[in-house]
């Protein structure tokens, strides 16, 4: 049985981009539904993408979500250690970021906070998953799969915040993938002390390049995330098993040493996620606009994904609200495109510079594919500076 209802706007997806878009639309007085199918709470559940740069504070204040959005138990970031381009471990402190220290989030809690803020503002939560969108005159018909059938929603505007799936946008735009990067990751429960009395309290993120890709680990409120980034065709099959993943992590120079403060007796099964950069062309059209990873997704090395999701969600919600209020869609979408194009250009530039800073394995597939060696007359190897990608300089401008 198919039911249909009419809304001013429907937001598909309730991550940071979708929740903020729905919040902005609801505060503009629009009838908006936010469609999401969050996983049931489970022991060990986590979501990667846990770094929030301090530049996000400005937007969170503008949205009246500050300071509760980043309050405890979220952890304040105190910098990072990096082994990249050299076997020497180098420290990068928050003092190098002009906006100060950022946060290491419990992403499930952070996302739930944003969803609740959208619901409080008036956005109607609908459980389900948007599976298709059909043009319907000036608006769209969204098909939402629910437990007991399909629900049909009609709307004048839809915001696609469905992540890399881009459920609404995929038939209306081209998705340009940067590479084939994937992440294998686990969450190790946070330990007050290990068997030998050590305590896992190191909040600084650790990034380590290796011949087949790179690793990172960071402490979050729910435990320590350990991730390996590589390409699927060169990934070691042993990474798919708990013991194989743990052995590979312990075999590294620095990541393995960081893990010894935790319980290594029963590692969880690794999960795999797409981690490649992705760009949508165009970002919107008649009756629809994309935000978050559906519009522009980043390599996790940048640590800019949540920040961009928040800003693109706010701007997408504002764009839809303006069009619903009678503004001509073409200039509104053009302004949104200019903003995201600026973010994308900054990301591409700094992504190339970051990977060019690793010159130890130029003949190996992972690094060769990313142009690890950049021969330019009169220039030495660039230095990796993960705290200063400057993508946030673009996304924090007044929206």
């Amino acid at each position: 049985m198919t039911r249909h209802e009419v809304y001013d706007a429907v937001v598909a997806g309730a991550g940071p981009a979708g929740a903020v878009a729905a919040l902005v639309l609801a505060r503009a007085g629009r009838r908006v539904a936010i469609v999401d199918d969050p996983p049931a709470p489970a022991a060990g559940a986590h979501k990667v993408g846990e770094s929030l740069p301090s530049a996000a504070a400005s937007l969170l204040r503008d949205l009246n979500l500050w300071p509760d959005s980043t309050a405890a138990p979220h952890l304040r970031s105190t910098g990072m250690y990096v082994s990249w381009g050299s076997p020497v471990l180098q420290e990068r402190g928050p003092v190098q970021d002009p906006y100060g220290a950022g946060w290491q989030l419990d992403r499930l809690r952070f996302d739930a906070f944003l969803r609740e803020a959208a619901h409080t503002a008036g956005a109607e939560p609908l459980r389900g998953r948007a599976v298709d969108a059909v043009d319907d005159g000036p608006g769209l018909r969204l098909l939402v799969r629910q437990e007991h059938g399909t629900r049909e929603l009609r709307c004048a505007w839809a915001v696609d915040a469905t992540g890399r799936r881009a459920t609404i946008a995929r038939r209306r735009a081209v998705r340009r993938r940067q590479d084939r990067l994937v992440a294998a990751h686990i969450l190790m429960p946070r330990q007050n002390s290990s068997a030998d009395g050590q305590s896992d309290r190191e909040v600084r993120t650790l990034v380590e390049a290796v011949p087949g890709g790179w690793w990172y680990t960071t402490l979050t409120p729910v435990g320590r995330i350990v991730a390996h980034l590589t390409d699927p065709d060169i990934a070691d099959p042993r990474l798919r098993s708990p013991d194989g993943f743990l052995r590979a992590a312990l075999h590294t120079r620095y990541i393995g040493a960081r893990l010894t403060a935790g319980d290594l007796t029963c590692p969880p099964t690794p999960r795999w996620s797409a981690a490649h950069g992705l760009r949508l062309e165009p970002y919107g059209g008649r009756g629809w606009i994309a935000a978050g990873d559906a519009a522009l997704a980043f390599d996790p090395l940048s640590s800019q994904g949540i920040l961009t999701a928040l800003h693109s969600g706010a701007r997408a919600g504002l764009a839809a609200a303006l069009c619903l209020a009678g503004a001509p869609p073409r200039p509104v979408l053009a302004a949104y495109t200019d903003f995201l194009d600026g973010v994308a250009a900054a990301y591409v530039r700094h992504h190339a510079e970051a990977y060019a800073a690793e010159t130890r394995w130029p003949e190996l597939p992972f690094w060769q594919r990313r142009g690890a060696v950049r021969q330019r007359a009169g220039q030495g190897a660039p230095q990796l500076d993960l705290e200063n990608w400057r993508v946030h300089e673009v996304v924090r401008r007044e929206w």
Side-chain angles (χ1 to χ4, degrees):
M1 177 180 179
T2 300
R3 297 180 292 159
H4 49 82
E5 298 179 43
V6 180
Y7 293 88
D8 294 324
V10 173
V11 178
V20 169
L23 174 71
V24 171
L25 280 158
R27 287 180 178 172
R30 296 298 172 179
R31 188 185 184 210
V32 55
I34 182 168
V35 178
D36 188 38
D37 190 15
H46 72 284
K47 185 176 182 180
V48 290
E50 61 288 329
S51 296
L52 182 66
S54 56
S58 176
L59 176 61
L60 293 171
R61 287 191 185 96
D62 290 344
L63 295 172
N64 294 321
L65 300 176
W66 180 269
D68 293 346
S69 55
T70 56
H74 303 301
L75 304 177
R76 218 52 211 272
S77 173
T78 56
M80 60 174 54
Y81 291 109
V82 178
S83 173
W84 192 285
S86 167
V88 177
L89 196 63
Q90 299 179 348
E91 185 174 2
R92 299 283 189 266
V95 69
Q96 295 170 286
D97 189 318
Y99 307 106
W103 296 268
Q104 299 302 116
L105 303 174
D106 174 348
R107 270 298 303 278
L108 295 179
R109 183 185 291 265
F110 182 74
D111 291 4
F113 174 88
L114 296 179
R115 286 195 302 270
E116 183 59 32
H119 300 164
T120 300
E124 180 180 340
L126 296 179
R127 192 176 184 91
R129 181 173 179 177
V131 294
D132 201 1
V134 180
D135 291 322
D136 183 27
L140 296 175
R141 285 187 293 118
L142 262 65
L143 303 182
V144 178
R145 183 174 297 149
Q146 297 181 310
E147 184 179 359
H148 300 296
T150 300
R151 192 168 185 170
E152 187 175 281
L153 309 178
R154 297 174 184 264
C155 59
W157 276 85
V159 178
D160 189 341
T162 59
R164 285 180 166 90
R165 298 195 315 272
T167 300
I168 297 171
R170 63 188 176 193
R171 295 187 181 180
R172 296 166 172 82
V174 176
R175 291 180 292 172
R176 302 196 182 281
R177 187 171 59 186
Q178 185 177 27
D179 50 39
R180 299 183 62 83
L181 190 69
V182 294
H185 50 93
I186 64 171
L187 176 71
M188 299 178 63
R190 190 172 183 182
Q191 301 291 321
N192 292 325
S193 63
S194 61
D196 58 4
Q198 297 186 64
S199 180
D200 187 7
R201 297 180 180 177
E202 179 56 81
V203 181
R204 284 169 288 192
T205 298
L206 173 60
V207 177
E208 180 177 356
V210 295
W214 55 278
W215 289 80
Y216 85 88
T217 182
T218 192
L219 190 65
T220 74
V222 293
R224 176 166 294 282
I225 290 178
V226 187
H228 179 52
L229 285 294
T230 187
D231 291 334
D233 61 323
I234 61 174
D236 188 334
R238 290 173 291 186
L239 289 168
R240 297 191 174 276
S241 73
D243 289 339
F245 184 94
L246 183 59
R247 281 197 297 270
L250 292 174
H251 187 67
T252 61
R253 182 188 297 261
Y254 298 110
I255 296 289
R258 182 68 62 85
L259 302 185
T260 57
D263 183 0
L264 306 180
T265 58
C266 189
T269 300
R271 292 167 50 193
W272 291 74
S273 303
H276 55 269
L278 188 68
R279 182 177 181 177
L280 195 70
E281 292 183 7
Y283 303 117
R286 189 180 69 175
W288 69 275
I289 190 168
D293 283 355
L296 190 62
F298 291 160
D299 182 320
L301 190 64
S302 73
S303 298
Q304 301 289 312
I306 307 177
L307 176 63
T308 303
L310 292 170
H311 275 271
S312 64
R315 288 172 180 262
L318 179 60
L322 289 172
C323 292
L324 287 166
R330 182 170 295 181
V332 171
L333 291 176
Y336 184 68
T337 296
D338 288 345
F339 162 71
L340 284 184
D341 280 349
V343 174
Y347 163 73
V348 169
R349 181 171 65 255
H350 292 293
H351 179 275
E353 292 173 355
Y355 277 98
E358 179 51 80
T359 60
R360 288 176 287 173
W361 307 287
E363 76 287 354
L364 296 185
F366 181 87
W367 300 102
Q368 191 177 62
R369 291 167 182 173
R370 286 154 180 84
V373 179
R374 192 171 54 178
Q375 299 291 345
R376 290 185 178 178
Q379 289 191 7
Q383 297 297 310
L384 180 68
D385 188 353
L386 295 177
E387 290 285 352
N388 202 21
W389 273 55
R390 296 302 186 192
V391 173
H392 61 244
E393 290 288 356
V394 180
V395 301
R396 77 179 299 273
R397 293 172 187 164
E398 184 178 356
W399 61 276

